[in-house]
Amino acid sequence: MPEIYTPLSNYYETNSQRRKQAAEGEVLAWGESSELFGKYREEWNRSANESYLPAHPLHVDIELSDACNLRCRMCAHGMGAVKKSGLMDRELAFSLIDQCSTVGVYSIKFNWRGESTLNPFLPDAVAYAKAKGILEVQINTNGLPPRRTMLAECAESGIDRIIFSVDGFSKETYESQRIGGVYANLVENIKDLLAWRNSRKRQKPLVRLQMVRTLLNAHEVDDFINYWQPLVDDVRVSDVTDRGQGDGLSVGDQITIGRRRCPQPFQRLVIARDGRVSPCCSDWNQEFVAGDVAHETLLQIWQGDRMRYIRGILERNEHHKIGICNNCCVKESYIWKKRD
């Protein structure tokens, strides 16, 4: 690929300094694998900020469920845009883990558009991935699994990271955004997991809490950070982006002033529960299908014409030529400026 200038995103992230310190300290949790984890993150950063394409995907999202038990205001599920959902077949999930292991994928996250704890074999998938040598296995979760023991089962299976989405610091704010969620139950589940880890004197699973900052919860950001920062490994606050709900929830103190080469097609593959593959996590409706694992291997898809095409578009800063890129919600694909 030609060497091009790719300006940094310039996105201002709340709590960024403490997040950087957390990331540096986190390396110790990998023990004997810390050198390999450092290599993984080096490749991740190179592919984000340089004209660098790894030989294989660094990370793969495997969607064990595109169903969800909540109806959040900033999500397609909450907007009624998801008409059909379900769970990934066990055989397909395990065959994908096998492929990831074979080609050298560093990291797997077992979700995309849905709540992975709805899939009853999630802990088995975690254990299998770790047994196959996957360096980092993780999930995003709303923290309200239908089987109360699910998170502890994932921890027992060796999961490396659990990321909780917690969009508020009060019952009223949280439950007004995450429709169907019970704030007290969520807080209890997080603390139960931390107690499980601490009682066993383990460093993992690493626990991150995330908040999507909106007009409805921006007043609680400081309290959210100050309360949870001493208890968990990482606290992240990101501004809401448009996933079809418009900009009505945006605080608006940061604006986009241009586009940059999106890093995702240079870092990852995203596999839907039916086996179709997308080049990024933004393609919720799979408008740009890069391949299908029923007919191609992950490595063939990674090296295939569709992935080469979208990478070329992004290298030339021609986002307008592909619908999902033109209307992207991934903040790293934009150049930002704080509003005066």
Coordinates of all heavy atoms in Angstrom, one line a residue, residues 120-205:
P120 N -26.2 -19.7 25.9 CA -25.9 -20.6 27.1 C -24.5 -21.2 27.0 O -24.0 -21.6 28.1 CB -27.0 -21.6 27.1 CG -27.6 -21.6 25.8 CD -27.5 -20.2 25.3
F121 N -23.9 -21.3 25.8 CA -22.6 -22.0 25.8 C -21.5 -21.0 25.8 O -20.3 -21.3 25.5 CB -22.5 -22.9 24.6 CG -22.5 -22.3 23.2 CD1 -21.4 -21.6 22.7 CD2 -23.6 -22.5 22.3 CE1 -21.4 -21.0 21.5 CE2 -23.6 -21.9 21.1 CZ -22.5 -21.2 20.6
L122 N -21.7 -19.7 26.1 CA -20.7 -18.7 26.2 C -19.5 -19.2 27.1 O -18.3 -19.1 26.6 CB -21.2 -17.4 26.7 CG -20.2 -16.3 27.0 CD1 -19.4 -15.9 25.8 CD2 -20.9 -15.1 27.6
P123 N -19.7 -19.6 28.3 CA -18.5 -20.1 29.1 C -17.7 -21.2 28.4 O -16.5 -21.2 28.5 CB -19.2 -20.5 30.4 CG -20.5 -19.8 30.5 CD -20.9 -19.7 29.1
D124 N -18.4 -22.1 27.7 CA -17.7 -23.2 27.0 C -16.9 -22.6 25.9 O -15.7 -23.0 25.6 CB -18.7 -24.2 26.4 CG -19.5 -24.9 27.5 OD1 -19.0 -25.0 28.7 OD2 -20.5 -25.5 27.2
A125 N -17.4 -21.6 25.2 CA -16.6 -20.9 24.1 C -15.4 -20.2 24.6 O -14.3 -20.3 24.0 CB -17.5 -19.9 23.4
V126 N -15.6 -19.6 25.8 CA -14.4 -18.9 26.4 C -13.3 -20.0 26.8 O -12.1 -19.8 26.4 CB -14.8 -18.2 27.7 CG1 -13.6 -17.7 28.5 CG2 -15.7 -17.0 27.4
A127 N -13.7 -21.0 27.4 CA -12.8 -22.1 27.8 C -12.1 -22.7 26.6 O -10.9 -22.9 26.6 CB -13.5 -23.2 28.6
Y128 N -12.8 -22.9 25.5 CA -12.3 -23.5 24.3 C -11.3 -22.6 23.6 O -10.2 -23.0 23.2 CB -13.4 -23.8 23.3 CG -12.9 -24.6 22.1 CD1 -12.6 -26.0 22.2 CD2 -12.9 -24.0 20.9 CE1 -12.1 -26.7 21.2 CE2 -12.4 -24.8 19.7 CZ -12.1 -26.1 19.9 OH -11.6 -26.8 18.8
A129 N -11.6 -21.3 23.6 CA -10.7 -20.3 23.0 C -9.4 -20.2 23.8 O -8.3 -20.1 23.2 CB -11.4 -18.9 22.9
K130 N -9.5 -20.2 25.1 CA -8.2 -20.2 25.9 C -7.4 -21.5 25.7 O -6.2 -21.4 25.6 CB -8.6 -20.0 27.4 CG -9.2 -18.6 27.7 CD -8.4 -17.4 27.2 CE -7.0 -17.4 27.8 NZ -6.2 -16.2 27.3
A131 N -8.1 -22.6 25.6 CA -7.4 -23.9 25.4 C -6.7 -23.9 24.0 O -5.7 -24.6 23.9 CB -8.4 -25.0 25.5
K132 N -7.3 -23.2 23.1 CA -6.7 -23.1 21.7 C -5.6 -22.1 21.6 O -5.0 -21.9 20.5 CB -7.8 -22.9 20.7 CG -8.8 -24.0 20.6 CD -8.3 -25.3 20.0 CE -7.9 -25.2 18.6 NZ -7.5 -26.5 18.0
G133 N -5.3 -21.4 22.7 CA -4.2 -20.5 22.7 C -4.5 -19.0 22.3 O -3.6 -18.2 22.1
I134 N -5.8 -18.6 22.3 CA -6.1 -17.2 22.0 C -5.6 -16.4 23.2 O -6.0 -16.6 24.3 CB -7.6 -17.1 21.8 CG1 -8.1 -18.0 20.6 CG2 -8.0 -15.6 21.5 CD1 -7.5 -17.7 19.3
L135 N -4.9 -15.4 22.9 CA -4.2 -14.6 23.9 C -5.3 -13.8 24.8 O -5.2 -13.9 26.0 CB -3.3 -13.5 23.3 CG -2.6 -12.5 24.2 CD1 -1.7 -13.2 25.2 CD2 -1.9 -11.5 23.4
E136 N -6.2 -13.1 24.1 CA -7.2 -12.3 24.8 C -8.6 -12.7 24.4 O -8.9 -12.7 23.2 CB -6.9 -10.8 24.5 CG -7.9 -9.9 25.2 CD -7.7 -8.4 24.8 OE1 -7.7 -8.1 23.5 OE2 -7.5 -7.6 25.6
V137 N -9.4 -13.1 25.4 CA -10.8 -13.4 25.2 C -11.6 -12.5 26.0 O -11.4 -12.4 27.2 CB -11.1 -14.9 25.5 CG1 -12.5 -15.2 25.3 CG2 -10.2 -15.8 24.7
Q138 N -12.6 -11.9 25.4 CA -13.4 -10.9 26.1 C -14.8 -10.8 25.7 O -15.2 -11.4 24.6 CB -12.7 -9.5 26.0 CG -12.5 -9.1 24.5 CD -11.7 -7.8 24.4 OE1 -11.9 -6.9 25.1 NE2 -10.8 -7.8 23.4
I139 N -15.6 -10.1 26.4 CA -17.0 -9.8 26.0 C -17.4 -8.4 26.4 O -16.8 -7.8 27.4 CB -18.1 -10.7 26.7 CG1 -18.0 -10.7 28.2 CG2 -17.9 -12.1 26.2 CD1 -19.2 -11.3 28.9
N140 N -18.3 -7.8 25.7 CA -19.0 -6.6 26.1 C -20.4 -7.1 26.7 O -21.0 -8.0 26.1 CB -19.3 -5.6 25.0 CG -18.2 -4.7 24.7 OD1 -17.3 -5.0 23.9 ND2 -18.2 -3.6 25.4
T141 N -20.9 -6.6 27.8 CA -22.1 -7.1 28.3 C -22.9 -5.9 29.0 O -22.3 -5.0 29.4 CB -21.9 -8.2 29.3 OG1 -23.1 -8.6 29.9 CG2 -21.0 -7.8 30.5
N142 N -24.2 -6.1 29.0 CA -25.0 -5.1 29.8 C -25.0 -5.5 31.2 O -25.6 -4.8 32.1 CB -26.4 -5.0 29.2 CG -27.2 -6.3 29.2 OD1 -27.1 -7.1 30.1 ND2 -28.0 -6.5 28.1
G143 N -24.4 -6.6 31.6 CA -24.2 -7.0 33.0 C -25.5 -7.6 33.6 O -25.5 -7.8 34.8
L144 N -26.5 -8.0 32.8 CA -27.7 -8.5 33.3 C -28.0 -9.8 32.6 O -29.0 -9.9 31.9 CB -28.9 -7.5 33.1 CG -28.7 -6.2 33.9 CD1 -29.7 -5.1 33.4 CD2 -28.9 -6.4 35.4
P145 N -27.2 -10.8 32.8 CA -27.4 -12.1 32.1 C -28.6 -12.8 32.7 O -28.9 -12.7 33.9 CB -26.1 -12.9 32.4 CG -25.7 -12.3 33.7 CD -26.0 -10.9 33.7
P146 N -29.3 -13.6 31.8 CA -30.5 -14.3 32.3 C -30.1 -15.4 33.3 O -30.9 -15.7 34.2 CB -31.1 -14.9 31.1 CG -30.0 -14.9 30.1 CD -29.2 -13.7 30.4
R147 N -28.9 -15.9 33.2 CA -28.4 -16.9 34.2 C -27.5 -16.2 35.1 O -26.4 -15.8 34.7 CB -27.7 -18.1 33.5 CG -27.4 -19.2 34.4 CD -27.0 -20.5 33.6 NE -25.7 -20.5 33.1 CZ -25.4 -20.8 31.8 NH1 -26.3 -21.0 30.9 NH2 -24.1 -20.8 31.4
R148 N -27.9 -16.0 36.3 CA -27.1 -15.1 37.2 C -25.7 -15.5 37.4 O -24.8 -14.6 37.6 CB -27.8 -15.1 38.6 CG -27.2 -14.2 39.6 CD -28.0 -12.9 39.7 NE -27.2 -11.8 40.4 CZ -27.0 -11.8 41.7 NH1 -27.4 -12.8 42.5 NH2 -26.3 -10.9 42.2
T149 N -25.4 -16.8 37.3 CA -24.0 -17.2 37.5 C -23.1 -17.1 36.2 O -21.9 -17.5 36.3 CB -24.0 -18.7 37.9 OG1 -24.6 -19.5 36.9 CG2 -24.7 -18.9 39.3
M150 N -23.7 -16.6 35.1 CA -23.0 -16.6 33.8 C -21.6 -15.9 33.9 O -20.6 -16.4 33.4 CB -23.9 -16.0 32.8 CG -23.2 -15.8 31.4 SD -22.9 -17.3 30.6 CE -24.5 -17.7 29.8
L151 N -21.6 -14.7 34.5 CA -20.3 -14.0 34.5 C -19.2 -14.7 35.3 O -18.1 -14.8 34.9 CB -20.5 -12.6 35.1 CG -21.5 -11.7 34.3 CD1 -21.7 -10.4 35.0 CD2 -21.0 -11.5 32.9
A152 N -19.6 -15.3 36.5 CA -18.7 -16.1 37.2 C -18.2 -17.3 36.5 O -17.0 -17.7 36.5 CB -19.3 -16.5 38.6
E153 N -19.1 -17.9 35.7 CA -18.8 -19.1 34.9 C -17.7 -18.7 33.8 O -16.8 -19.4 33.5 CB -20.0 -19.7 34.2 CG -21.0 -20.3 35.2 CD -22.3 -20.7 34.5 OE1 -22.2 -21.2 33.3 OE2 -23.4 -20.5 35.0
C154 N -17.9 -17.5 33.2 CA -16.9 -17.0 32.2 C -15.6 -16.8 32.9 O -14.5 -17.1 32.3 CB -17.5 -15.7 31.6 SG -18.8 -16.0 30.4
A155 N -15.6 -16.2 34.1 CA -14.4 -16.0 34.9 C -13.7 -17.4 35.2 O -12.5 -17.5 35.0 CB -14.7 -15.3 36.2
E156 N -14.5 -18.3 35.6 CA -13.9 -19.7 35.8 C -13.3 -20.3 34.6 O -12.3 -21.0 34.6 CB -15.0 -20.6 36.4 CG -15.4 -20.3 37.8 CD -14.5 -20.8 38.9 OE1 -13.4 -21.3 38.5 OE2 -14.9 -20.8 40.1
S157 N -13.9 -19.9 33.4 CA -13.4 -20.5 32.1 C -12.2 -19.8 31.6 O -11.6 -20.2 30.6 CB -14.5 -20.4 31.1 OG -15.6 -21.2 31.5
G158 N -11.8 -18.7 32.3 CA -10.5 -18.0 31.9 C -10.7 -16.8 31.1 O -9.7 -16.3 30.5
I159 N -11.8 -16.2 31.1 CA -12.0 -15.0 30.3 C -11.0 -13.9 30.8 O -10.8 -13.8 32.0 CB -13.5 -14.5 30.3 CG1 -13.7 -13.5 29.2 CG2 -13.8 -13.9 31.7 CD1 -15.2 -13.2 28.9
D160 N -10.5 -13.1 29.8 CA -9.5 -12.1 30.2 C -10.0 -10.8 30.5 O -9.4 -10.0 31.3 CB -8.5 -12.0 29.0 CG -7.7 -13.3 28.7 OD1 -6.9 -13.6 29.6 OD2 -7.9 -13.9 27.7
R161 N -11.2 -10.4 29.9 CA -11.7 -9.1 30.1 C -13.2 -9.1 30.0 O -13.8 -9.7 29.0 CB -11.1 -8.1 29.1 CG -11.4 -6.6 29.4 CD -11.1 -5.8 28.2 NE -9.7 -6.0 27.7 CZ -8.6 -5.5 28.1 NH1 -8.7 -4.6 29.1 NH2 -7.5 -5.8 27.6
I162 N -13.9 -8.4 30.9 CA -15.3 -8.3 30.8 C -15.6 -6.8 30.8 O -15.2 -6.1 31.7 CB -16.1 -9.0 31.9 CG1 -15.9 -10.5 31.8 CG2 -17.6 -8.6 31.9 CD1 -16.6 -11.3 32.9
I163 N -16.3 -6.3 29.8 CA -16.6 -4.8 29.7 C -18.1 -4.6 29.9 O -18.9 -5.1 29.2 CB -16.2 -4.4 28.3 CG1 -14.7 -4.7 28.0 CG2 -16.5 -2.9 28.1 CD1 -14.3 -4.5 26.5
F164 N -18.4 -3.9 30.9 CA -19.8 -3.6 31.3 C -20.2 -2.2 30.7 O -19.5 -1.2 30.8 CB -19.9 -3.5 32.8 CG -19.8 -4.8 33.5 CD1 -18.5 -5.2 34.0 CD2 -20.9 -5.7 33.7 CE1 -18.4 -6.4 34.6 CE2 -20.7 -6.9 34.4 CZ -19.5 -7.3 34.8
S165 N -21.4 -2.2 30.1 CA -21.9 -0.9 29.6 C -22.9 -0.4 30.7 O -23.9 -1.0 31.0 CB -22.7 -1.1 28.3 OG -21.8 -1.5 27.3
V166 N -22.5 0.8 31.3 CA -23.2 1.3 32.4 C -23.4 2.8 32.1 O -22.6 3.6 32.4 CB -22.5 1.2 33.7 CG1 -23.3 1.6 34.9 CG2 -22.0 -0.3 33.9
D167 N -24.6 3.2 31.6 CA -24.8 4.5 31.1 C -25.5 5.4 32.1 O -26.4 6.1 31.8 CB -25.5 4.5 29.8 CG -24.7 3.8 28.7 OD1 -23.5 4.0 28.6 OD2 -25.3 3.0 27.9
G168 N -24.9 5.5 33.3 CA -25.4 6.4 34.3 C -24.9 6.1 35.7 O -24.2 5.0 35.9
F169 N -25.1 7.0 36.6 CA -24.7 6.8 37.9 C -25.8 6.9 38.9 O -25.6 7.0 40.1 CB -23.6 7.8 38.3 CG -22.9 7.6 39.6 CD1 -22.2 6.4 39.9 CD2 -23.1 8.5 40.7 CE1 -21.6 6.1 41.1 CE2 -22.5 8.2 41.9 CZ -21.8 7.0 42.1
S170 N -27.0 6.8 38.4 CA -28.2 6.8 39.3 C -29.2 5.9 38.6 O -29.2 5.6 37.4 CB -28.8 8.2 39.4 OG -29.3 8.6 38.2
K171 N -30.1 5.4 39.5 CA -31.2 4.5 39.0 C -32.0 5.2 37.9 O -32.3 4.6 36.9 CB -32.0 4.1 40.2 CG -33.4 3.4 39.8 CD -34.2 3.0 41.0 CE -35.6 2.6 40.7 NZ -35.5 1.3 39.9
E172 N -32.3 6.4 38.2 CA -33.2 7.2 37.3 C -32.6 7.4 35.9 O -33.2 7.1 34.9 CB -33.6 8.5 37.9 CG -34.4 8.5 39.2 CD -33.6 8.0 40.4 OE1 -32.4 8.1 40.4 OE2 -34.3 7.5 41.4
T173 N -31.3 7.8 35.9 CA -30.7 8.1 34.7 C -30.4 6.8 33.9 O -30.7 6.7 32.7 CB -29.3 8.8 34.9 OG1 -29.6 10.1 35.5 CG2 -28.6 9.1 33.6
Y174 N -29.8 5.8 34.6 CA -29.5 4.5 33.9 C -30.8 3.9 33.3 O -30.8 3.5 32.1 CB -28.9 3.6 34.9 CG -28.8 2.2 34.4 CD1 -27.7 1.8 33.6 CD2 -29.7 1.2 34.7 CE1 -27.6 0.5 33.1 CE2 -29.6 -0.1 34.2 CZ -28.6 -0.4 33.4 OH -28.5 -1.7 32.9
E175 N -31.8 3.8 34.1 CA -33.0 3.1 33.6 C -33.8 3.9 32.6 O -34.6 3.3 31.9 CB -33.9 2.7 34.8 CG -33.2 1.7 35.7 CD -34.0 1.2 36.9 OE1 -35.2 1.7 37.0 OE2 -33.5 0.5 37.8
S176 N -33.6 5.2 32.5 CA -34.2 6.0 31.5 C -33.6 5.8 30.1 O -34.2 6.1 29.1 CB -34.2 7.5 31.8 OG -32.9 8.0 31.7
Q177 N -32.3 5.3 30.1 CA -31.6 5.1 28.9 C -31.6 3.6 28.5 O -31.7 3.2 27.3 CB -30.2 5.6 29.0 CG -30.1 7.1 29.2 CD -28.8 7.6 28.7 OE1 -28.6 8.1 27.6 NE2 -27.8 7.5 29.5
R178 N -31.3 2.7 29.4 CA -31.2 1.3 29.2 C -32.5 0.7 29.6 O -32.7 0.1 30.7 CB -30.0 0.7 29.9 CG -28.7 1.2 29.3 CD -27.5 0.4 29.7 NE -26.5 0.6 28.7 CZ -26.1 -0.2 27.8 NH1 -26.7 -1.4 27.7 NH2 -25.2 0.0 26.9
I179 N -33.5 0.7 28.7 CA -34.9 0.3 29.0 C -34.9 -1.2 29.2 O -34.5 -2.0 28.4 CB -35.8 0.7 27.8 CG1 -35.6 2.2 27.4 CG2 -37.2 0.4 28.2 CD1 -35.8 3.2 28.5
G180 N -35.5 -1.5 30.4 CA -35.5 -2.9 30.8 C -34.5 -3.3 31.8 O -34.5 -4.4 32.4
G181 N -33.5 -2.5 32.0 CA -32.4 -2.7 32.9 C -32.8 -2.3 34.3 O -33.6 -1.4 34.5
V182 N -32.3 -3.0 35.3 CA -32.5 -2.7 36.7 C -31.1 -2.3 37.3 O -30.2 -3.2 37.4 CB -33.1 -3.9 37.5 CG1 -33.3 -3.5 38.9 CG2 -34.5 -4.3 36.8
Y183 N -31.0 -1.1 37.6 CA -29.7 -0.5 38.0 C -29.1 -1.3 39.3 O -27.9 -1.6 39.3 CB -29.8 0.9 38.3 CG -28.5 1.6 38.6 CD1 -27.5 1.7 37.7 CD2 -28.3 2.2 39.9 CE1 -26.3 2.3 38.0 CE2 -27.1 2.8 40.2 CZ -26.1 2.9 39.2 OH -24.9 3.5 39.5
A184 N -29.9 -1.5 40.2 CA -29.5 -2.2 41.5 C -28.9 -3.6 41.2 O -27.9 -4.0 41.7 CB -30.6 -2.3 42.5
N185 N -29.6 -4.3 40.3 CA -29.1 -5.6 39.9 C -27.8 -5.6 39.1 O -26.9 -6.4 39.4 CB -30.1 -6.3 39.0 CG -31.4 -6.7 39.7 OD1 -31.5 -6.6 41.0 ND2 -32.5 -7.1 39.0
L186 N -27.6 -4.6 38.3 CA -26.4 -4.4 37.5 C -25.2 -4.1 38.5 O -24.2 -4.8 38.4 CB -26.5 -3.3 36.5 CG -25.2 -2.8 35.9 CD1 -24.6 -3.9 35.0 CD2 -25.5 -1.6 35.0
V187 N -25.4 -3.2 39.4 CA -24.3 -2.9 40.3 C -24.0 -4.1 41.2 O -22.8 -4.4 41.4 CB -24.8 -1.7 41.2 CG1 -23.7 -1.5 42.4 CG2 -24.9 -0.4 40.4
E188 N -25.0 -4.8 41.6 CA -24.7 -6.1 42.4 C -23.9 -7.1 41.6 O -23.0 -7.7 42.1 CB -26.0 -6.7 42.8 CG -25.9 -7.9 43.8 CD -27.2 -8.4 44.2 OE1 -28.3 -8.0 43.8 OE2 -27.2 -9.3 45.1
N189 N -24.3 -7.2 40.3 CA -23.6 -8.2 39.5 C -22.1 -7.8 39.3 O -21.2 -8.7 39.3 CB -24.3 -8.3 38.1 CG -25.6 -9.1 38.2 OD1 -25.9 -9.7 39.2 ND2 -26.4 -9.0 37.2
I190 N -21.8 -6.5 39.1 CA -20.5 -6.0 38.9 C -19.7 -6.3 40.2 O -18.5 -6.8 40.2 CB -20.4 -4.6 38.6 CG1 -21.1 -4.3 37.2 CG2 -19.0 -4.0 38.6 CD1 -21.3 -2.8 36.9
K191 N -20.3 -6.0 41.3 CA -19.5 -6.2 42.6 C -19.4 -7.6 42.9 O -18.3 -8.0 43.5 CB -20.3 -5.4 43.7 CG -20.2 -3.9 43.5 CD -20.8 -3.1 44.7 CE -20.5 -1.6 44.6 NZ -21.0 -0.9 45.7
D192 N -20.3 -8.5 42.5 CA -20.2 -9.9 42.8 C -19.0 -10.4 42.0 O -18.2 -11.3 42.5 CB -21.4 -10.6 42.4 CG -22.5 -10.5 43.4 OD1 -22.3 -10.1 44.5 OD2 -23.7 -11.0 43.1
L193 N -18.8 -10.0 40.7 CA -17.7 -10.4 39.9 C -16.4 -10.0 40.5 O -15.4 -10.7 40.6 CB -17.8 -9.9 38.5 CG -16.7 -10.3 37.5 CD1 -16.6 -11.8 37.3 CD2 -16.8 -9.6 36.2
L194 N -16.3 -8.7 41.0 CA -15.1 -8.2 41.6 C -14.8 -9.0 42.9 O -13.6 -9.3 43.2 CB -15.3 -6.7 41.9 CG -15.4 -5.8 40.7 CD1 -15.7 -4.4 41.2 CD2 -14.0 -5.8 39.9
A195 N -15.8 -9.3 43.6 CA -15.6 -10.1 44.9 C -15.1 -11.5 44.5 O -14.2 -12.1 45.2 CB -16.9 -10.2 45.6
W196 N -15.6 -12.1 43.4 CA -15.2 -13.4 43.0 C -13.7 -13.4 42.7 O -12.9 -14.2 43.1 CB -15.9 -13.8 41.7 CG -15.5 -15.2 41.2 CD1 -16.1 -16.4 41.4 CD2 -14.4 -15.4 40.3 NE1 -15.5 -17.4 40.7 CE2 -14.4 -16.8 40.0 CE3 -13.4 -14.7 39.7 CZ2 -13.5 -17.4 39.2 CZ3 -12.5 -15.3 38.9 CH2 -12.5 -16.6 38.7
R197 N -13.3 -12.3 41.9 CA -11.8 -12.2 41.6 C -11.0 -11.9 42.8 O -9.9 -12.5 42.9 CB -11.7 -11.0 40.6 CG -10.3 -10.9 40.0 CD -10.2 -9.7 39.0 NE -10.3 -8.4 39.7 CZ -10.1 -7.3 39.1 NH1 -9.9 -7.2 37.7 NH2 -10.2 -6.1 39.7
N198 N -11.4 -11.0 43.6 CA -10.6 -10.7 44.8 C -10.4 -11.8 45.8 O -9.4 -12.0 46.4 CB -11.2 -9.4 45.5 CG -11.1 -8.2 44.6 OD1 -10.3 -8.1 43.6 ND2 -12.0 -7.2 44.9
S199 N -11.5 -12.6 45.9 CA -11.4 -13.7 46.9 C -10.5 -14.8 46.5 O -9.9 -15.5 47.3 CB -12.8 -14.3 47.1 OG -13.3 -15.0 45.9
R200 N -10.2 -14.8 45.2 CA -9.3 -15.8 44.6 C -7.9 -15.2 44.3 O -7.0 -15.9 43.8 CB -9.8 -16.4 43.3 CG -11.0 -17.3 43.6 CD -11.9 -17.5 42.4 NE -13.0 -18.4 42.7 CZ -14.1 -18.1 43.4 NH1 -14.3 -16.9 43.9 NH2 -15.1 -19.0 43.6
K201 N -7.7 -13.9 44.7 CA -6.5 -13.2 44.5 C -6.0 -13.3 43.1 O -4.8 -13.5 42.8 CB -5.4 -13.7 45.5 CG -5.8 -13.5 46.9 CD -4.7 -14.0 47.9 CE -4.9 -13.5 49.3 NZ -6.3 -13.9 49.8
R202 N -6.9 -13.1 42.1 CA -6.6 -13.1 40.7 C -6.6 -11.7 40.1 O -7.3 -10.8 40.6 CB -7.6 -14.0 39.9 CG -7.6 -15.4 40.4 CD -8.4 -16.3 39.5 NE -8.6 -17.6 39.9 CZ -9.3 -18.6 39.3 NH1 -10.0 -18.3 38.2 NH2 -9.4 -19.8 39.8
Q203 N -5.8 -11.5 39.1 CA -5.8 -10.2 38.3 C -6.9 -10.2 37.2 O -7.2 -9.1 36.8 CB -4.4 -10.0 37.8 CG -3.4 -9.7 38.8 CD -2.0 -9.3 38.2 OE1 -1.4 -10.2 37.6 NE2 -1.6 -8.1 38.3
K204 N -7.3 -11.4 36.8 CA -8.3 -11.5 35.8 C -9.6 -12.2 36.3 O -9.5 -13.0 37.2 CB -7.7 -12.2 34.6 CG -6.6 -11.5 33.9 CD -6.2 -12.3 32.7 CE -5.0 -11.6 31.9 NZ -4.6 -12.4 30.8
P205 N -10.7 -11.9 35.6 CA -10.8 -11.0 34.4 C -10.6 -9.5 34.8 O -11.1 -9.0 35.8 CB -12.3 -11.3 34.0 CG -13.0 -11.7 35.2 CD -12.0 -12.4 36.0

